Every structure is written in structure tokens, then in C-alpha cells.
Amino acid sequence: MGRGVSKNRWVILAMAMLLFMAASDTGFGENVYDWNFKPAKNNQPPTTEPHYIELLDRYDGYFIGDTDTKNIYLTFDSGYENGCTDVILDVLKEKGVPAAFFVTGYYFEREVDLIKRMDDEGHIVGNHSWNHPSFPDLNDEEVISELAKVEKAFKTLTGKKMNYLRPPRGTFNERTMKIAKEEGYQHIFWSFAYVDWDPDAQKGKTYAYDRIMDRVHPGAVLLLHSVSKDNAAALGDVIDELKAEGYQFQSLDHLTGRRFPLLDQ
């Protein structure tokens, strides 16, 4: 077999794998989607798949805000603790910036003081499931249980309800989005992310700063992971520079229209 034919086979296999990742299948005979967006150059807003937009519209989800205004929505996925969340909260408090933290059951079992601090300091605490499974792999009752266990723990701690969900692993389908809406949740996806979630593969403050500043855009929903020391180190400089460029940091409640808090910028 010639080298050209072999190369073509690998291209076909790679394309097939990409299609599988974008819409694989569960034991329920359903498509499974992995959230993705298509970055643009020169700090322009990204796009995503048309059928993702249709699902977001149908089930009141968001991945980006108004792209004509310089608002930023800062969100953190918090699956477990790595000693960085207090540092991040210190920076947010110093800069007067709101954020959303999507937490798992780990925090209610081991880091309840951090949950209390997030809430006490005015940040949104969102549902990231109790055990971080892929929701499309679960049946309806299991999805509801994953949401309800986090919700119950948060309500017991704070007396408050949760409104926002970030699906664990970024996987979803119409069934799981429908369940979440019926349980009172809005999906919050993202229009910016980078490879920051591996504590053993951190590349330094400057790397994190450059990745964020290269892709930030009006209406951005930034996804950062709170386990990243790089994010914790770069966050203050990112906030200062974006404010200098005219951006305002807003709450997810501003994005969704639940309420419009006045922020000291």
C-alpha cells in the first residue's frame, strides 16, 4: 500500500473520530453532544454549531452574551480543591468582580467553608452535579438525583436555591437539557476556554494571561478551572487589563435577565 493511500486512510479515520466526539451515542439510543465553539481571531466573538443554538433557544441556555457590549461573565468549574480557590476569591474581592463557581459534591463533603465564602461574598454557586458523570449516560431519575443532591446541600447550607447548571464533562443532549429545565435550571456553557484543568501541566502566569487576552471578546462567558495555579496567578492582571479596555464584569443573573445588579467597576 502506497504512503498516499495510507495517509488518506488516517485522514478518514480522524474525521470519523471527530464526528463521533461531536455526536456519539448512548445506551439510550440518543445522540450525545460535546460542547464546542469555534474561536475567531482578533478578539471577535466565536460561533458554535447551529443545532446547539437551537437547543439553547429551546431550553433557555446560554453560551455567550450580547456581542455588541463589552460585558464579561467570569465562571469557574470547581470539581475539586487544589489550594487555589481562596486565592481566586481574594482577587475577586479586591477587584470588586462577581463570578460563578460550578461545584460538585466534593465541595459539600470537604470544602464547605469555601462554599459559604463564595455565597457570602456575592458570587453565584452553580450546580456541576454531585459525582461529575456524563448526564447522557444516566437515566432520567439518575440525572435528577445528581442535581437534587447538590441542590439540597446548598439549600441546607445557605437557604438558597440554585438556578444554573454546567453539565459535567460538557456533554449533553436534548433529553438532559429538558430534564434540567424542568428541574428549574438554565444551562450555562461557555465561549472561551483553554487547557487549564491539569494541575500537573501548568505553564505559568504569563501563559494563562496570554491565552485569555488573545481570545477574550464582547459578551464572553469565560470558563476557567479553579484548580489552575496559573489562573489564580494571572487573574488580577487579566481583570485590570480588561477593565482598562472598557470591559465590565457582570453576574450570570445579568446575562440571563434574572436581575441586573449594579457593580462597582
Side-chain angles (χ1 to χ4, degrees):
M1 182 179 293
R3 292 175 61 89
V5 175
S6 178
K7 181 178 179 181
N8 287 340
R9 286 188 63 193
W10 281 112
V11 169
I12 292 169
L13 285 171
M15 290 176 67
M17 283 299 295
L18 287 172
L19 288 172
F20 174 81
M21 291 172 62
S24 56
D25 190 73
T26 70
F28 299 99
E30 305 164 330
N31 284 336
V32 180
Y33 302 119
D34 287 289
W35 177 258
N36 66 80
F37 61 92
K38 302 170 185 178
K41 296 180 179 179
N42 302 317
N43 301 106
Q44 294 300 303
T47 59
T48 189
E49 306 296 338
H51 55 289
Y52 292 2
I53 297 294
E54 292 175 7
L55 289 173
L56 290 173
D57 288 344
R58 191 173 305 154
Y59 297 105
D60 300 328
Y62 289 83
F63 87 102
I64 198 169
D66 182 354
T67 57
D68 292 325
T69 59
K70 281 192 164 185
N71 288 322
I72 295 284
Y73 305 93
L74 187 59
T75 73
F76 292 89
D77 278 8
S78 300
Y80 64 95
E81 182 52 27
N82 190 39
C84 302
T85 305
D86 267 325
V87 177
I88 290 168
L89 287 166
D90 287 345
V91 173
L92 297 173
K93 185 175 183 179
E94 176 191 351
K95 304 297 183 182
V97 165
F101 292 85
F102 289 91
V103 300
T104 63
Y106 173 100
Y107 275 80
F108 292 99
E109 292 181 325
R110 299 175 180 86
E111 301 289 349
V112 69
D113 287 344
L114 283 174
I115 299 287
K116 284 183 63 66
R117 184 178 175 191
M118 292 168 189
D119 181 63
D120 288 345
E121 295 182 1
H123 303 295
I124 286 172
V125 181
N127 201 324
H128 201 37
S129 80
W130 191 265
N131 294 301
H132 205 263
S134 174
F135 277 2
D137 289 342
L138 307 182
N139 64 35
D140 293 10
E141 292 76 16
E142 289 168 332
V143 174
I144 292 170
S145 177
E146 283 286 333
L147 295 173
K149 197 170 180 181
V150 176
E151 171 101 18
K152 181 179 178 181
F154 184 67
K155 190 170 185 180
T156 299
L157 182 65
T158 68
K160 298 177 181 178
K161 184 186 183 302
M162 286 180 155
N163 297 312
Y164 302 115
L165 165 67
R166 175 155 289 152
R169 309 187 189 188
T171 56
F172 65 102
N173 60 19
E174 183 163 8
R175 177 178 64 90
T176 61
M177 291 190 77
K178 182 175 184 289
I179 292 170
K181 183 177 180 180
E182 290 173 348
E183 294 301 307
Y185 286 94
Q186 289 180 274
H187 274 70
I188 304 295
F189 291 98
W190 57 91
S191 62
F192 167 87
Y194 78 106
V195 180
D196 64 343
W197 55 82
D198 185 351
D200 297 323
Q202 299 293 289
K203 299 181 180 180
K205 170 183 175 179
T206 300
Y207 179 85
Y209 176 89
D210 288 343
R211 297 289 77 70
I212 296 168
M213 298 306 297
D214 283 349
R215 295 293 188 183
V216 74
H217 52 271
V221 178
L222 300 182
L223 164 57
L224 302 175
H225 285 81
S226 60
V227 297
S228 168
K229 293 181 179 179
D230 292 354
N231 288 337
L235 184 60
D237 289 347
V238 167
I239 290 171
D240 287 345
E241 180 59 28
L242 289 175
K243 284 185 174 182
E245 293 183 9
Y247 282 93
Q248 290 188 318
F249 288 83
Q250 303 284 8
S251 162
L252 288 183
D253 288 336
H254 177 278
L255 174 67
T256 65
R258 286 183 181 268
R259 55 185 167 86
F260 296 88
L262 297 175
L263 303 176
D264 179 11
Q265 298 291 330

